[in-house]
Amino acid sequence: MNRTPRPDDPPLAAALRACAAGFYPAEAAAELLIGQASWLCRGDFRDGYVDVGTSVTDGTTLMASIDWPAAITALDEGGLPASGGERRMLRLAASLADGIPVDLRDAFTGMDTANVDRAVCAMLHASGRRPGRH
């Protein structure tokens, strides 16, 4: 797996968006993690579960994908220690991106206002109702 750039380095956000482009649930998951930011700031997450490469189509577009099943397994087994809010956001993103089941009652209970707003925007985006583009 390739070492990934820091999330505040625009290429990582752009690479996540490029890889997800065209599939609303994947786009929503990418935006959820970009907006929430804590997972993408963690070296253990970036280096262990984010793979960066170039597009097979043009060979130059930077793309990044997340190994969602491995990340959730690590989260469940204690390999990715996290706060309750971080756990909830990662689970929501994994569910959107890869269909990994999430308990919505647990996910939204105790979530702070900023993350609730991010999650609602992600759900709208996943359904094709991209916020700000009505």
Side-chain angles (χ1 to χ4, degrees), residues 102-117:
V102 64
D103 180 336
L104 291 177
R105 180 177 64 182
D106 180 61
F108 282 97
T109 302
M111 192 181 286
D112 66 28
T113 302
N115 282 335
V116 167
D117 290 345

Side-chain angles (χ1 to χ4, degrees), residues 38-81:
S38 70
W39 284 108
L40 297 180
C41 289
R42 293 179 49 167
D44 61 343
F45 182 75
R46 289 190 326 266
D47 296 341
Y49 306 99
V50 179
D51 191 23
V52 177
T54 56
S55 167
V56 295
T57 305
D58 65 19
T60 60
T61 301
L62 193 62
M63 301 184 89
S65 63
I66 296 170
D67 185 345
W68 296 106
I72 295 301
T73 297
L75 184 70
D76 290 343
E77 294 176 354
L80 281 174

Side-chain angles (χ1 to χ4, degrees), residues 16-18 20-31 117-134:
L16 286 168
R17 288 178 178 123
F23 184 53
Y24 289 159
E27 290 176 357
E31 293 301 331
D117 290 345
R118 288 182 188 104
V120 169
C121 285
M123 298 305 154
L124 288 170
H125 188 132
S127 73
R129 293 180 49 210
R130 298 168 73 176
R133 298 180 182 171
H134 299 292

